[in-house]
Amino acid sequence: MENAVKNLSDALKIKTVSNRDAKKVDWKEFDRFLKFLDSNYKNVSSTCEKRIINKYSPVYIWRCKRGNKKKPVLLIGHYDVVPVEESTEGAWLKEPFSGEIDDNFIWGRGAIDDKNAVIGLMEALDSLIAAGVEPNERDIYFAFGFDEEVGGTMGAKEIARAFELEKIEFEFVLDEGGCIVYDMLEGLGNPVALIGIAEKGSSNIRITCESAGGHSSMPGRNTAIGKLSRIINNIEKNPMPDRLTITAEEMFKALAVNLPKQKRIFSNIDKLFPVIKGKLSKISALNALIRTTIAFTQIEGGDAPNILPKRASAIANLRLLQGDTTDQAIEHIKRVNRGIDFKIEKLLVEEPSEISDMNEKSFNILKDVIASEFRIGDILPSHEYKNRSVGIVPYLMMGSTDSRKYYNVCHAIYRFYPLYLEKELYGTMHGVNERIPVERFLKMISFYKALIKKI
Ligand SMILES: [Zn+2]
């Protein structure tokens, strides 16, 4: 068995589960993980500069010894994982922290999010050093967060701050993100690699309505629950305006080439948008690409069947499109609810990320390495064009990753997993039976090696 496979398996046995409440974290496991990296990647330890940021984030710097250096590149990942929900434990076919290896898979929480990337990068770096390779023309940085799943404020944010203090600017940053997909998007003629070039914002707000309360036998006309319901209804009936952002436009155009049926429409999306936006809005995945969405997720009010509550409140999650802000979304909510009195509080504010430039040289490096490492036939052996490379599609991420913390030190941030995932495996991320096919993990390593050599 390949050493790399055993290393990932061992890494999955370490329970680096993060939690918003730092007191609930078992920090001994995080210490164990750091020791694990030290003792398994001796070439890295002996060759690279190592720093630990905020106790648990390792940063490795592989220095280029030649002069006339170019801007460094940063490759990142996170080694914390989400917990395994107790109610789902019985549904796991292998123990979630067993790291079990069978004929096809390496099993365990973190196998595709994101220890595969952390270990994949370390394997690639270690073996390149062993082979006598040296950085060509720039320093290469590796940095691993330890709280991505709970916001990244202790890990990635602190690492980015340390870089900023040192005035380091990166040519590009590569993080987890899109992967290679085929069955996840209906109508694709061939597999495509999704490269995240921007992330929507994600803010939470609470809307509260008050009223006099009293007995339910003589209700007034403006009960707290009644008002709150009208507000929610008004917002659902009047979504934020739609807009074709540059990210969505590039995504539709790149998809067009790979979607035989929608080719004509998508390749002319800039002209046809006003005509087809109604249709796009009806498909939730596409609707989310063209507007800020407001989703009510929690509601509270009243604790007896015969008492009118004095207050009723609801929490909404706003997913903000580039160009919108949390304040603008709040203005919209007020506008469509004129005449109703209510209060809005911001609970969490995470504005949309910048959009990374796709014309940068670094985007092309990434594209070239994907093209040379991933052929259609690797994924669909009997495809008519099996020797062609998979398609490349820039896209807008709906969720957030550590990468957004690095905009202070880089404007070309790309989010991509060099990994093909079908719907079924993708669904195991944060879910049950998370696992990675052995050969696809080895492919990740070979991708990282090729990329590192090219930069
Ligand atoms: Zn992740």
Side-chain angles (χ1 to χ4, degrees), residues 225-427:
I225 290 181
K227 280 193 281 187
L228 185 63
S229 314
R230 268 182 280 148
I231 291 169
I232 295 174
N233 191 34
N234 285 340
I235 295 169
E236 291 193 342
K237 273 204 310 222
N238 299 287
M240 294 275 291
D242 50 56
R243 193 169 64 242
L244 185 68
T245 62
I246 184 73
T247 318
E249 183 178 334
E250 295 291 343
M251 176 172 179
F252 282 121
K253 286 187 171 167
L255 269 176
V257 191
N258 304 284
L259 279 168
K261 276 192 191 152
Q262 284 85 1
K263 190 170 181 171
R264 201 187 56 82
I265 296 177
F266 281 3
S267 51
N268 294 297
I269 188 78
D270 45 339
K271 291 176 214 96
L272 295 176
F273 185 68
V275 186
I276 62 159
K277 62 187 193 179
K279 262 194 178 160
L280 299 179
S281 304
K282 290 201 178 82
I283 304 164
S284 40
L286 298 179
N287 180 50
L289 273 179
I290 58 169
R291 76 175 83 241
T292 289
T293 56
I294 303 173
F296 283 90
T297 48
Q298 286 175 285
I299 192 158
E300 211 176 66
D303 37 30
N306 56 351
I307 300 171
L308 293 168
K310 284 197 160 126
R311 312 158 52 102
S313 65
I315 291 177
N317 177 235
L318 318 175
R319 293 287 166 129
L320 301 143
L321 193 63
Q322 274 63 24
D324 287 341
T325 62
T326 307
D327 284 337
Q328 282 170 339
I330 288 176
E331 277 314 306
H332 172 84
I333 291 171
K334 288 183 180 162
R335 200 161 42 238
V336 300
N337 285 294
R338 256 191 217 123
I340 308 177
D341 70 294
F342 61 96
K343 224 172 60 195
I344 296 192
E345 293 157 84
K346 294 183 220 171
L347 304 179
L348 175 86
V349 173
E350 181 96 68
E351 303 292 1
S353 78
E354 280 181 31
I355 303 170
S356 299
D357 194 343
M358 289 177 310
N359 300 316
E360 299 258 354
K361 227 163 96 196
S362 32
F363 190 77
N364 289 326
I365 295 179
L366 189 60
K367 262 168 69 174
D368 287 351
V369 180
I370 295 172
S372 66
E373 289 290 306
F374 292 99
R375 307 263 153 208
I376 292 176
D378 299 337
I379 290 144
L380 306 172
S382 54
H383 195 279
E384 160 182 25
Y385 301 115
K386 57 173 181 272
N387 288 323
R388 288 192 190 165
S389 332
V390 300
I392 306 272
V393 175
Y395 92 118
L396 173 64
M397 306 244 317
M398 299 295 148
S400 67
T401 64
D402 268 351
S403 66
R404 67 162 59 217
K405 306 285 190 298
Y406 290 92
Y407 279 105
N408 59 337
V409 287
C410 185
H411 297 281
I413 295 184
Y414 306 118
R415 304 152 180 92
F416 173 65
Y417 265 130
L419 174 66
Y420 165 57
L421 287 179
E422 52 275 78
K423 221 184 215 164
E424 193 209 338
L425 271 189
Y426 188 84

Side-chain angles (χ1 to χ4, degrees), residues 12-27:
L12 295 176
K13 291 175 188 160
I14 308 175
K15 296 182 183 171
T16 48
V17 179
S18 51
N19 192 304
R20 277 184 201 280
D21 182 353
K23 283 187 227 104
K24 291 189 180 143
V25 175
D26 185 354
W27 294 109

Side-chain angles (χ1 to χ4, degrees), residues 78 80 112-114 148-149 176 401 417 429-430:
H78 66 91
D80 62 313
I112 52 173
D113 181 17
D114 183 38
E148 191 271 350
E149 299 292 0
E176 62 174 337
T401 64
Y417 265 130
M429 198 182 276
H430 292 205

